[in-house]
Amino acid sequence: MEWGERGEQEAIPFASDYPAFTSNQSADLALAEGQVQYGNLDIPNVQKTYVDVNPHNHYYFPPDNIVELYPNLSNPLLAIPNVREAISLAIDRQKLSVIGETGYEGVANPISLPLPNYKSWLDPTLPSSYLHFPPVNDAKAEQLLQAAGFKKDKNGIYAKDGKELSFNLEVVSGWSDWDEDCLLIQQDLAKIGIKVNIEQVTFGTYYSNIAPTASAHGVIPGKYDLAISWTNEGPTPYLQYYDLLDSNGSFNVEGFHNPQVDKLLNAFAQTTDLAEQKKIMYQIERIAAEKMPVIPLLVGAYWYEYNDSNYTGWPTKQNLWITPGPANTQSAAIVMQHLQPVQK
């Protein structure tokens, strides 16, 4: 049970149900038909299929986080920088943006920060190569693999010491945009002699596979090779970089351990001096791009739909006063507390 406000002080209860769906498509249909009034979904052609069918249907997909291709760095093949760089060079991010995400999500950047959200934290001296990925270059990608000692075997896959560059790619079955992204990545990497097997699994299995485990020597990555997943956002880049890159980060899925980064993040947390914090962040930005512990793909949108036929007070594009969608349960509870019944 959640509570909505009416008038200045009087509060009325309203029932709040969180239905479960097996796929994006079934949830999209429920939203469009009005069975669900509050959503957190990627809806293809949202204007036509959702907004145009009901004047009370609204949406906003603001940039929110970085969608990463996470390499498990405990895998000795993915721990090789040339392999990660070759993978990055071969992926057509523009195609992911246009086809996989139907144009809702832009291409990410090498420093793994969603922009323009953190524009004020950018090192003003960063060269363009730290902010933009180069065009797809399959020839250079293969050169990088060859320079690292890999040769194509009888299967047409690059291998070294009998070990092929063949990886499983984890994704949640039914997350239609990411499922499509994985198919596109599989096709791109096949062109440079890297084999990808897509594993579409339930969310529970997916999260269990990729979640890192804490240890006295830093996090231990889960049981996977490659995975598409999100990053955690905060009011400054600190939370995202801490969770992503600190040896003890809660979402350091890849298992990246770098004493310099740990020291910098600790120093950031110890000071309230904004100028000093920015100097620290500038250094981390460069390390994130140069070491490529993860492979940034897209600037992830925060999917948000709502219907205002019965309640007003929703966050809007013009007044986005909170993280809006129900995927964030804490902010969703606050949103519901601010809703007011429409006077009919």
Side-chain angles (χ1 to χ4, degrees):
M1 182 76 72
E2 302 288 351
W3 291 86
E5 293 184 358
R6 180 173 59 188
E8 294 184 358
Q9 299 295 333
E10 182 183 2
I12 63 168
F14 60 87
S16 176
D17 296 325
Y18 279 76
F21 298 94
T22 57
S23 69
N24 278 12
Q25 289 87 344
S26 57
D28 290 349
L29 183 62
L31 272 167
E33 293 180 346
Q35 299 172 26
V36 175
Q37 296 79 40
Y38 187 23
N40 221 148
L41 292 166
D42 171 12
I43 302 179
N45 200 0
V46 66
Q47 184 67 37
K48 180 178 180 180
T49 62
Y50 180 66
V51 175
D52 289 350
V53 301
N54 188 331
H56 290 285
N57 286 347
H58 307 277
Y59 79 98
Y60 184 39
F61 298 158
D64 178 67
N65 69 98
I66 297 297
V67 178
E68 307 275 12
L69 179 63
Y70 284 92
N72 189 328
L73 299 180
S74 68
N75 182 317
L77 297 176
L78 291 169
I80 299 171
N82 276 31
V83 172
R84 300 197 300 277
E85 187 176 349
I87 290 173
S88 180
L89 272 172
I91 293 174
D92 189 338
R93 293 173 174 83
Q94 190 62 37
K95 192 180 292 184
L96 300 185
S97 173
V98 173
I99 299 177
E101 303 300 330
T102 56
Y104 297 146
E105 297 187 340
V107 172
N109 53 67
I111 63 174
S112 281
L113 289 182
L115 298 174
N117 305 37
Y118 294 131
K119 184 177 180 181
S120 65
W121 290 90
L122 281 182
D123 179 354
T125 67
L126 274 178
S128 178
S129 60
Y130 286 70
L131 296 174
H132 305 282
F133 284 104
V136 173
N137 192 329
D138 290 346
K140 184 176 180 181
E142 292 199 50
Q143 289 170 6
L144 285 168
L145 297 178
Q146 293 162 6
F150 290 91
K151 296 180 180 179
K152 280 190 176 180
D153 62 14
K154 62 181 181 180
N155 300 315
I157 300 171
Y158 275 101
K160 184 167 70 171
D161 300 327
K163 295 181 179 179
E164 291 184 330
L165 293 179
S166 177
F167 308 110
N168 293 328
L169 173 54
E170 299 275 326
V171 67
V172 177
S173 178
W175 287 11
S176 54
D177 55 333
W178 283 8
D179 293 341
E180 181 67 28
D181 291 338
C182 285
L183 287 171
L184 295 169
I185 291 170
Q186 180 187 55
Q187 294 166 10
D188 286 342
L189 297 189
K191 296 175 183 177
I192 64 164
I194 295 178
K195 183 179 179 181
V196 171
N197 174 52
I198 300 171
E199 292 191 335
Q200 294 188 359
V201 296
T202 65
F203 176 77
T205 299
Y206 162 87
Y207 196 81
S208 176
N209 287 347
I210 70 170
T213 302
S215 79
H217 303 290
V219 299
I220 300 171
K223 297 179 180 179
Y224 76 99
D225 296 328
L226 296 168
I228 286 187
S229 202
W230 59 83
T231 53
N232 297 325
E233 75 281 4
T236 76
Y238 172 80
L239 175 64
Q240 180 164 318
Y241 274 150
Y242 178 85
D243 282 355
L244 179 69
L245 301 177
D246 191 271
S247 292
N248 295 297
S250 63
F251 209 65
N252 185 347
V253 172
E254 73 281 6
F256 181 66
H257 297 158
N258 184 295
Q260 184 182 2
V261 170
D262 293 349
K263 184 178 179 180
L264 288 167
L265 287 166
N266 183 62
F268 183 101
Q270 298 299 316
T271 181
T272 58
D273 185 305
L274 181 59
E276 185 62 26
Q277 287 181 334
K278 287 190 174 184
K279 288 180 182 178
I280 293 168
M281 206 53 66
Y282 296 167
Q283 297 177 67
I284 299 174
E285 290 166 4
R286 290 176 180 269
I287 294 171
E290 292 166 1
K291 299 294 184 183
M292 194 178 281
V294 292
I295 301 168
L297 300 175
L298 300 158
V299 180
Y302 194 94
W303 314 115
Y304 169 49
E305 300 89 10
Y306 65 98
N307 180 292
D308 63 6
S309 58
N310 294 317
Y311 291 93
T312 62
W314 299 97
T316 65
K317 181 178 181 179
Q318 294 73 27
N319 184 21
L320 198 69
W321 50 271
I322 195 170
T323 301
N328 186 315
T329 55
Q330 295 90 344
S331 63
I334 296 171
V335 168
M336 291 186 182
Q337 289 171 349
H338 281 75
L339 297 183
Q340 297 179 354
V342 172
Q343 300 299 319
K344 298 181 179 180

